């Protein structure tokens, strides 16, 4: 049960979070929402709740309940939601039947593009631009998956309890893309961007290095030892964090 | 002042990473050396208080192999004793005579010791100490303290670590350093269940200031253990023979039932020891615990010579003195540069931290700048003094530290 719950949280809060950058960076996706103003609420029984808002050629993704969304999609369980993400189930629409056309056409194309950028293994020779977007998305997924794993995975909860309160900055040099994690009393929250005074920093020297590191294609010890990945500050925070990060691949 | 580069170290590490998990694993891993580019990875040779890396850079060593070096690298007297034994026999089909001599020396030297048992690493002995405590009491639970390090056996690690399960920690209970009340409460609430308490004599975690015992803490713990039939185990793997010849517990004026030694016991030769009181001897005899090389005679001869030499040269007093000189010098220098340097722990194993930046980034930068100028400082771990460190070493170190402070201002 916790597996499905964690996966559902990651799908809604971490995978979907990338829609914001997808719309900003990918012209084709942006064109699909041109002139459209639509918001979608995802409701999972005994599971996560999130909303998407497409407006003015931008996308915003939020956690929780949105006031008066255009569309409400209901899922009878976290497993139901996860099956939808795997293309094996459909949501139950509760509101916004007139917008179903958007969900079946444009939204499907947008999520297919998202999947394309998240799965580099399908490409033989990914371009530099592709690697940059994939790296950005992978970093976001990793960061936003952490709180979900910590909530419901016993070992991860223990690891998080060992992290002193503070802020951890992860970024690809020269400081973009960047995410930071706030740890308080064993709970982790993730945000995109930079924080002013991080207690620990993990910086990856360039996109390719970050891509290899985040996708498990490089030896992390070698990457740190040769200076491709630089860690600084209260690196004991990163020790425990890495134990949780290692679990992300079990859910995505 | 010239700064070092580490081309050969880096090249060797890349080769190592292809054939050795992590390249360099465990406590020698480069990961906590920050910035990693300021540190050498591979050592070529060592003598006295110094070592030379594979790039030919020379360092005054304040980690002392993370503790084992206590009388200077390649100490001729210790090496001669080891060599003499090796020529006779090292690994044989029966124990060598030197084992009995060493056990007698341990018993004569360590105040609480009525017997001594030998192995290779600290963790062999901390694990054995738990087995002895359980055999002696017929109980299961062991209390260890948060932030305390006793090795890497599954019981010593957190169950969230790779390869460890919650079952591995089933009977391990976490206490807190200097929190006598919590210990007492737990033991009273679990009467007849706690076999032992294992702790270092003072708190020397990584990434944090080290803490000495609060006034009366150990006396109260000792009395609690006696009253409740709990075995008190001291992990003196780091502190042993650096604080007091009679056991680092003597420095803090209390008597445990068992003490685990390693590191400084043989100046780098591989041997560890558990000593205990007469009351524990029967249990220690009943527990089956052994290893292929635990009877190696060469390290035993080295240990015998080391313990005698430590006493002869007043090593404990010397390390206290040089550690204090180094600490005072660094604190003063830091002040001159507008920083606040804090020294904690014992002068023979000082932990330093520039307190102006709680994230440690400034301190890490300074340690790195000093290291690449020839004073090997780590930022996450207590340092180790040795009897081989001289006043000249300290003076040279302070010059390097001064340059380090200038560098972090730039």
């Amino acid at each position: 049960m916790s597996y499905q719950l964690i996966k559902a949280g990651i799908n809604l809060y971490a995978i979907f979070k990338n829609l914001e950058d997808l719309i900003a960076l990918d012209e084709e996706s942006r064109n699909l929402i041109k002139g459209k103003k639509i918001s979608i609420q995802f409701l999972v029984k005994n599971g996560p709740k999130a909303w998407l808002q497409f407006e003015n050629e931008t996308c915003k993704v939020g956690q929780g309940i949105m006031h008066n969304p255009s569309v409400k999609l209901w899922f009878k369980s976290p497993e139901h939601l996860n099956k939808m993400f795997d293309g094996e189930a459909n949501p139950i629409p509760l509101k916004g039947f007139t917008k179903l056309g958007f969900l079946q056409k444009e939204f499907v194309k947008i999520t297919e593009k998202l999947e394309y950028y998240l799965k580099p293994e399908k490409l033989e020779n990914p371009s530099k631009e592709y690697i940059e977007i994939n790296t950005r998305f992978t970093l976001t997924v990793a960061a936003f998956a952490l709180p979900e794993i910590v909530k419901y995975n016993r070992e991860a909860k223990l690891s998080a309890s060992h992290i002193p309160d503070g802020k951890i900055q992860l970024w690809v040099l020269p400081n973009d893309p960047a995410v930071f994690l706030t740890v308080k009393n064993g709970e982790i929250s993730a945000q995109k961007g930079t924080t002013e005074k991080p207690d620990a920093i993990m910086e990856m020297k360039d996109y390719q290095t970050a891509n290899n590191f985040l996708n498990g294609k490089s030896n992390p010890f070698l990457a740190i030892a040769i200076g491709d990945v630089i860690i600084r500050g209260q690196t004991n925070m990163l020790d425990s964090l890495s134990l949780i990060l290692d679990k992300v691949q079990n859910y995505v | 002042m010239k700064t070092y580069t580490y081309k050969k170290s880096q090249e060797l590490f890349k080769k190592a990473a292809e054939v050795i998990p992590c390249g360099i694993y465990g406590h020698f891993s480069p990961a906590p050396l920050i910035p990693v580019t300021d540190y050498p990875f591979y050592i070529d040779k060592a003598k006295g208080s110094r070592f030379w890396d594979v790039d030919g850079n020379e360092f005054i060593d304040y980690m002392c192999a993370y503790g084992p070096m206590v009388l200077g690298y390649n100490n001729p007297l210790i090496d001669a004793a080891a060599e003499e034994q090796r020529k006779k026999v090292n690994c044989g089909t029966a124990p060598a005579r030197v084992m009995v001599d060493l056990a007698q020396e341990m018993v004569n030297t360590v105040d609480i010791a009525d017997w001594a048992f030998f192995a290779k690493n600290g963790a062999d002995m901390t694990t054995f100490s738990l087995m002895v405590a359980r055999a002696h009491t017929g109980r299961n639970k062991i209390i260890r303290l948060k932030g305390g390090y006793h090795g890497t056996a599954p019981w010593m690690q957190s169950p969230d670590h790779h390869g460890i399960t919650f079952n591995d920690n089933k009977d391990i209970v976490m206490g807190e350093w200097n929190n006598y009340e919590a210990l007492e409460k737990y033991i009273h609430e679990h009467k007849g269940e706690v076999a032992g308490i294992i702790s270092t004599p003072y708190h020397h975690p990584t990434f944090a200031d080290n803490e000495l015992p609060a006034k009366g803490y150990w006396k109260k713990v000792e009395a609690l253990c006696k009253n409740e039939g709990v075995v008190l185990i001291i992990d003196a793997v780091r502190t042993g023979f650096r604080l007091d010849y009679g056991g680092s517990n003597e420095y803090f004026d209390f008597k445990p039932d068992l003490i685990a030694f390693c590191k400084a016991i043989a100046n780098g030769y591989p041997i560890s020891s558990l000593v205990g009181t007469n009351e524990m001897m029967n249990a220690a005899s009943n527990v089956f615990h052994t290893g292929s090389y635990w009877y190696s005679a060469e390290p035993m001869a080295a240990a015998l010579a080391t313990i005698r030499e430590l006493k002869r040269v007043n090593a404990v007093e010397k390390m206290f003195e040089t550690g204090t000189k180094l600490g005072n010098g660094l604190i003063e220098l830091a002040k001159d540069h507008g920083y606040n340097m804090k020294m904690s722990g014992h002068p023979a194993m000082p932990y330093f931290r520039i307190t102006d930046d709680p994230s440690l980034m400034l301190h890490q930068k300074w340690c790195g700048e000093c290291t690449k100028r020839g004073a090997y400082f780590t930022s996450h771990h207590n340092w180790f003094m040795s009897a081989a460190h001289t006043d000249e070493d300290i003076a040279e170190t302070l010059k390097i530290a001064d340059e380090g402070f200038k560098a972090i201002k730039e």
Side-chain angles (χ1 to χ4, degrees):
Chain A
M1 182 58 197
S2 64
Y3 175 82
Q4 293 293 343
L5 198 53
I6 291 169
K7 195 171 165 66
I10 291 173
N11 277 330
L12 281 190
Y13 301 150
I15 303 282
F16 265 179
K17 191 69 184 166
N18 284 313
L19 289 171
E20 294 176 347
D21 285 332
L22 179 75
I23 298 299
L25 298 169
D26 183 71
E27 194 179 356
E28 196 184 321
S29 300
R30 199 161 51 248
N31 284 337
L32 289 165
I33 60 158
K34 210 170 208 170
K36 292 194 165 52
K37 183 181 175 183
I38 188 165
S39 51
I40 310 167
Q41 175 76 56
F42 291 79
L43 298 164
V44 182
K45 189 183 176 189
N46 298 322
K49 293 165 182 61
W51 51 264
L52 314 178
Q53 187 173 40
F54 298 100
E55 191 176 0
N56 299 329
E57 294 177 44
T58 64
C59 173
K60 276 188 190 165
V61 181
Q63 298 187 14
I65 302 284
M66 181 190 212
H67 177 66
N68 199 21
S70 330
V71 178
K72 269 191 192 175
L73 300 177
W74 190 75
F75 300 85
K76 60 186 180 184
S77 65
E79 194 174 1
H80 181 195
L81 176 93
N82 296 333
K83 279 189 173 170
M84 183 202 74
F85 269 80
D86 292 338
E88 294 168 5
N90 290 313
I92 300 165
L94 297 182
K95 183 189 172 189
F97 294 94
T98 56
K99 311 279 185 189
L100 289 180
F102 173 80
L103 289 178
Q104 287 161 350
K105 287 181 193 164
E106 287 91 343
F107 189 63
V108 167
K109 282 185 184 166
I110 290 168
T111 54
E112 280 172 356
K113 203 63 185 286
L114 181 63
E115 190 184 1
Y116 163 79
Y117 279 122
L118 279 168
K119 294 192 170 167
E121 62 275 11
K122 288 185 176 173
L123 298 180
E124 267 187 31
N125 289 308
S127 65
K128 186 173 165 277
E129 291 70 27
Y130 178 92
I131 286 170
E132 287 189 8
I133 294 178
N134 171 255
T135 305
R136 181 181 293 274
F137 287 8
T138 308
L139 185 63
T140 300
V141 169
F144 284 82
L146 293 171
E148 302 313 301
I149 298 173
V150 166
K151 267 186 235 165
Y152 305 111
N153 179 286
R154 191 181 173 198
E155 287 97 4
K157 200 184 279 279
L158 184 62
S159 299
S161 76
H162 295 154
I163 306 178
D165 287 356
K167 290 186 174 171
I168 302 172
Q169 180 78 63
L170 310 176
W171 62 33
V172 180
L173 290 176
N175 307 353
D176 183 66
V179 293
F180 67 93
L181 304 160
T182 305
V183 185
K184 188 149 189 174
N185 299 325
E187 288 184 7
I188 297 179
S189 58
Q191 278 174 270
K192 290 197 284 187
T194 58
T195 181
E196 207 171 299
K197 282 193 174 173
D199 299 283
I201 295 174
M202 179 187 281
E203 51 197 14
M204 292 154 267
K205 78 169 185 186
D206 54 36
Y207 274 100
Q208 188 61 62
T209 301
N211 196 275
N212 292 342
F213 188 74
L214 293 167
N215 285 307
K217 288 181 197 159
S218 64
N219 177 332
F221 293 97
L222 180 63
I224 291 171
I226 62 176
D228 277 356
V229 174
I230 300 154
I231 56 174
R232 287 186 283 145
Q234 292 276 358
T235 55
N236 50 329
M237 297 175 87
L238 300 173
D239 291 342
S240 292
L241 185 75
S242 72
L243 292 168
I244 312 171
L245 275 170
D246 288 345
K247 296 185 193 303
V248 173
Q249 60 186 348
N250 298 337
Y251 299 98
V252 296
Chain B
M1 194 176 273
K2 186 190 155 209
T3 56
Y4 297 163
T5 54
Y6 307 107
K7 194 167 173 270
K8 287 181 183 166
S9 263
Q10 294 278 353
E11 283 169 3
L12 199 51
F13 184 83
K14 283 179 192 168
K15 274 189 194 173
E18 289 172 12
V19 290
I20 300 170
C22 297
I24 301 172
Y25 45 78
H27 63 303
F28 278 8
S29 164
L33 304 174
I34 299 167
V36 75
T37 45
D38 286 350
Y39 287 84
F41 296 164
Y42 290 93
I43 194 165
D44 181 47
K45 60 180 183 177
K47 180 72 190 159
S49 61
R50 298 179 184 233
F51 76 85
W52 288 259
D53 71 3
V54 290
D55 287 277
N57 302 310
E58 179 181 350
F59 300 86
I60 304 169
D61 189 358
Y62 288 98
M63 289 312 288
C64 297
Y66 282 74
M69 190 280 273
V70 67
L71 286 169
Y73 290 112
N74 288 334
N75 182 296
L77 193 138
I78 309 305
D79 290 351
E83 178 63 6
E84 193 182 331
Q85 179 60 50
R86 192 194 62 77
K87 280 181 185 163
K88 286 199 278 185
V89 65
N90 178 31
C91 215
T93 301
R97 180 192 179 92
V98 67
M99 183 175 184
V100 184
D101 296 339
L102 178 59
Q104 189 61 59
E105 187 71 24
M106 291 293 283
V107 166
N108 292 346
T109 305
V110 180
D111 284 33
I112 66 122
D114 293 314
W115 52 267
F117 185 103
F118 302 105
K120 287 289 114 186
N121 287 296
D124 299 333
M125 296 295 73
T126 51
T127 293
F128 183 50
S129 72
L130 265 58
M131 295 160 86
V132 172
R134 285 170 171 157
H136 178 72
T137 59
R139 302 170 183 175
N140 292 345
K141 290 189 191 302
I142 299 288
I143 300 176
R144 58 178 286 235
L145 307 184
K146 197 178 167 191
Y149 178 80
H150 305 294
T152 61
W155 71 264
M156 305 159 184
Q157 295 201 48
S158 181
D160 57 323
H161 285 198
H162 292 297
I164 311 297
T165 70
F166 280 91
N167 273 345
D168 291 325
N169 274 238
K170 196 162 68 76
D171 289 313
I172 303 294
V173 180
M174 276 292 178
E176 279 180 0
W177 172 253
N178 263 344
N179 190 341
Y180 171 77
E181 287 70 27
L183 267 185
E184 184 187 54
K185 186 170 182 279
Y186 185 87
I187 288 172
H188 284 166
E189 284 174 2
H190 296 80
K191 257 192 187 308
E193 292 180 39
V194 178
I197 299 173
I198 184 165
S199 170
T200 50
Y202 77 88
H203 198 46
H204 43 69
T206 50
F207 293 101
D209 294 342
N210 291 187
E211 291 177 58
L212 298 181
K215 197 177 173 192
Y217 170 77
W218 274 124
K219 278 289 181 200
K220 284 194 281 185
V221 175
E222 184 187 341
L224 175 69
C225 288
K226 290 269 181 297
N227 291 337
E228 298 295 333
V230 173
V231 176
L232 181 54
I233 306 160
I234 286 303
D235 176 344
V237 168
R238 273 192 227 175
T239 55
F241 297 124
R242 273 195 161 85
L243 272 58
D244 194 303
Y245 307 105
S248 38
N249 54 291
E250 297 299 324
Y251 185 83
F252 298 112
D253 191 25
F254 70 101
K255 305 279 184 199
D257 301 295
L258 299 167
I259 309 174
F261 287 90
C262 187
K263 296 197 186 282
I265 194 172
N267 202 45
Y269 286 84
I271 186 167
S272 57
S273 178
L274 186 75
V275 303
T277 59
N278 265 328
E279 206 187 347
M280 298 292 126
M281 196 163 182
N282 198 33
S285 308
N286 289 336
V287 171
F288 184 73
H289 197 41
T290 189
S292 297
Y293 301 100
W294 289 13
Y295 283 93
S296 298
E298 183 194 37
M300 290 177 181
L304 185 60
T306 298
I307 296 166
R308 288 174 178 167
E309 185 66 357
L310 284 168
K311 290 187 271 191
R312 192 188 70 79
V313 300
N314 297 320
V316 164
E317 294 78 0
K318 203 170 173 216
M319 286 185 277
F320 184 95
E321 200 181 306
T322 46
T324 304
K325 275 183 194 165
L326 176 68
N328 289 343
L330 291 177
I331 290 166
E332 201 58 38
L333 262 180
K335 208 169 154 190
D336 293 346
H337 286 276
Y339 297 113
N340 182 44
M341 175 71 80
K342 184 175 179 183
M343 176 183 176
S344 58
H346 184 277
M349 292 176 32
Y351 179 81
F352 290 100
R353 181 171 67 89
I354 298 174
T355 61
D356 305 80
D357 173 15
S359 79
L360 293 181
M361 289 182 209
L362 185 67
H363 184 60
Q364 287 162 348
K365 203 172 170 199
W366 175 75
C367 286
E369 291 293 343
C370 293
T371 298
K372 67 182 183 188
R373 287 170 172 80
Y376 192 95
F377 292 167
T378 61
S379 55
H380 66 294
H381 196 286
N382 70 270
W383 301 353
F384 291 93
M385 301 304 296
S386 80
H389 285 94
T390 62
D391 284 351
E392 290 72 33
D393 287 332
I394 303 298
E396 193 179 333
T397 301
L398 293 177
K399 270 187 200 164
I400 292 169
D402 189 37
E403 292 292 319
F405 282 118
K406 283 178 195 161
I408 61 172
K409 275 194 175 167
E410 285 166 7

